Amino acid sequence: AQQQQFHSEGELATVRGASAAKTTVVISSRSSYPIDQVAKQAKTTLWYQVYPEPDIAVVGKQVRRAVEVGFKAVCITVGTPYQATGVRGRKIDWRMIDQIRQGVSVPVLLKGIITQEDAKTATNRGIQGIVVSNYGMRFGSGPSSPIESLSSIVDVVAKRVPVLIDGNFRRGSDILKALALGADAVLLGRPPIWGLAAYGADGVQTVLELLQSELARSMAGSGRPNIKSLDRTLVRIHSR
């Protein structure tokens, strides 16, 4: 959100850099620039991220506008430490999620899923993708970290919808672990922003391509020639 605080071109530079690196971009509803301007800069797939705010009508209007200008999916962030009401907790308001989804013609994903129960409920209610994340919560102060929850959520979803993940992915070897545990994709936050802050669009492209190269080297070092050959035998998780 508000990427202009890191670089004068903010999200405009981010989508140019990500487009050059051939990666999908998730743009926040709290973008520094209007989403139609962002869409004009993009030569890659854009997703739109929103929160289940109390005024559902406003959220719905934002989502419809994003779809109008070419965004291909909507990612609703749920389970944040402080909900829009200011009440601390991770309880998901499924009624609000259903209201946001009404009339949306593109796939809707939920970001903030950290338990099997929520993953199963989301899938049963027609959600079309899950992002395993404990967004905004420190590891150790709440639910387990996303990477620790990933395989169990992948199992309960049972390939009915794509499962993505975010949370402290800094190297290509980190991405390898998530893919091996069953994630269909990995979302990145801070690394491309570091590139943005340093060198604008070129910095974003460089960071993403470095991670792609690291992933390829890690796969080669593991003797796995392609993504389909990755499996859980590559990863061991030691509980603290």
Side-chain angles (χ1 to χ4, degrees), residues 79-160:
T80 57
Y82 290 88
Q83 303 290 348
T85 58
V87 178
R88 185 172 179 83
R90 294 187 61 87
K91 185 176 180 180
I92 298 174
D93 188 334
W94 295 106
R95 179 186 59 82
M96 293 180 72
I97 301 302
D98 290 341
Q99 287 179 311
I100 295 172
R101 292 178 57 222
Q102 288 179 2
V104 177
S105 58
V106 298
V108 175
L109 300 86
L110 288 191
K111 176 186 174 185
I113 300 298
I114 201 71
T115 67
Q116 284 186 308
E117 179 183 359
D118 285 342
K120 187 174 182 179
T121 301
T123 307
N124 289 341
R125 295 179 79 98
I127 290 297
Q128 292 145 304
I130 286 170
V131 181
V132 181
S133 172
N134 63 354
Y135 176 82
M137 296 195 75
R138 293 181 180 179
F139 299 163
S141 65
S144 59
S145 67
I147 196 71
E148 291 175 316
S149 300
L150 176 59
S151 57
S152 65
I153 290 175
V154 168
D155 288 343
V156 78
V157 169
K159 299 187 182 299
R160 287 182 288 172

